[in-house]
Amino acid sequence: MLRIGYFTAADITKSRQVLEKRLNPLGIQVQWAQFKDGPQLLEAINVGGLDVGAVGETPPIFAQAAGIPFVLLANTIPGTGEGSEIVVPEDSPIKTIADLKGKGIAFQRATASQYFVVKALQEGGLELKDVKHLNLI
């Protein structure tokens, strides 16, 4: 049995049974488990619930720092963050990054979102301790 963790991006591979078609003839059954984000997937590997999984570039950094034992099998060029944004309501008085001081920002820890927020705050002259972090799980 090969236990695979995946995100929405792997839905096509799963729905077309690409891995099953190749591995079942070798006597290997495939079991899929969907995860919301990389930290949860890496924790499943840590506790023996998964054999393999795909995550973004940031969660493995946090997992390694936390002492989770894993082996990086493959890597792609890190993303550019083009899909990340900090948004506020249209009528918000917040107009710049500096205006976020003392405000709450929601993101999931140990993800690319955290890295993006930290970098954006730095560019605006702030640090993570200058805002209230609301962890999304």
Side-chain angles (χ1 to χ4, degrees), residues 18-102:
V18 173
L19 294 175
E20 289 85 348
K21 289 175 185 171
R22 293 193 176 234
L23 297 176
N24 287 354
L26 301 173
I28 302 171
Q29 300 299 310
V30 175
Q31 181 182 40
W32 293 88
Q34 188 171 11
F35 289 84
K36 178 187 168 299
D37 287 304
Q40 292 88 345
L41 188 148
L42 286 165
E43 182 57 27
I45 287 176
N46 184 41
V47 299
L50 288 180
D51 298 306
V52 66
V55 298
E57 67 267 13
T58 305
I61 296 168
F62 285 92
Q64 186 178 39
I68 293 176
F70 65 91
V71 174
L72 182 64
L73 296 177
N75 193 24
T76 60
I77 297 171
T80 62
E82 292 171 346
S84 299
E85 298 177 356
I86 296 175
V87 297
V88 298
E90 189 173 7
D91 60 349
S92 173
I94 298 170
K95 303 297 181 202
T96 69
I97 295 294
D99 295 337
L100 291 171
K101 188 169 187 168

Side-chain angles (χ1 to χ4, degrees), residues 10-22:
D11 281 344
I12 293 172
T13 302
K14 181 178 180 270
S15 67
R16 293 184 181 170
Q17 297 190 330
V18 173
L19 294 175
E20 289 85 348
K21 289 175 185 171
R22 293 193 176 234

